[in-house]
Amino acid sequence: MTDARFHPRLRIHAHADIIGSEVVLARALDDLSLGGCKFGGPAWEEAGQQVALVLSFPALSASLPLTGMVVRGGDSDMAIRFVNISDEQKSALRKHILDSQEAASA
C-alpha cells in the first residue's frame, strides 16, 4: 500500500516550540512534511486549534516559524497542518528538510 499523501512524511531530526492554548517547548517531531508535522504521545491541543510553531533543526543550527492547525489529536499522537505558509517559508522548509536528510546520511 502506498502513502496517498500529497507531501511524503519524513523522519527528520527536529523539534518544535508550539504556542496554542498551552505552550510546549522543544517537543520532538515524529515526522515532518511540507504540509505539516506529527508529534507522538497524547495530544495537548484540540482538533481545530490554531497554533504557532517554531521548528528547530539542531544539525543545521536553523529554525523556522510557521502557523498551523491541529487536524488530529488523540491518545497516541497530534497532527498539525501548516497554514498560511508564504513561498519563502515553504522554500526554507524544503531546504531544511533536504539539508537534514543529507546531514543524517553523512
Side-chain angles (χ1 to χ4, degrees):
M1 184 170 168
T2 60
D3 192 349
R5 292 172 55 93
F6 186 71
H7 301 291
R9 300 174 187 175
L10 304 167
R11 299 258 183 210
I12 301 290
H13 178 62
H15 60 271
D17 297 338
I18 307 101
I19 302 167
S21 62
E22 296 187 30
V23 176
V24 176
L25 302 176
R27 183 69 182 244
L29 275 68
D30 253 16
D31 64 45
L32 175 64
S33 75
L34 290 176
C37 61
K38 183 176 78 170
F39 301 94
W44 61 92
E45 299 286 354
E46 296 289 324
Q49 174 72 39
Q50 187 160 336
V51 295
L53 303 100
V54 177
L55 299 182
S56 296
F57 302 86
L60 309 175
S61 297
S63 61
L64 178 64
L66 298 168
T67 304
M69 177 78 65
V70 177
V71 293
R72 185 180 67 249
D75 293 336
S76 62
D77 64 12
M78 185 173 87
I80 295 175
R81 179 179 61 234
F82 301 138
V83 295
N84 301 321
I85 288 186
S86 69
D87 290 340
E88 293 82 13
Q89 287 172 312
K90 190 173 280 192
S91 177
L93 180 57
R94 181 178 288 111
K95 179 182 182 335
H96 293 335
I97 287 172
L98 292 173
D99 290 349
S100 293
Q101 289 177 310
E102 287 177 12
S105 66

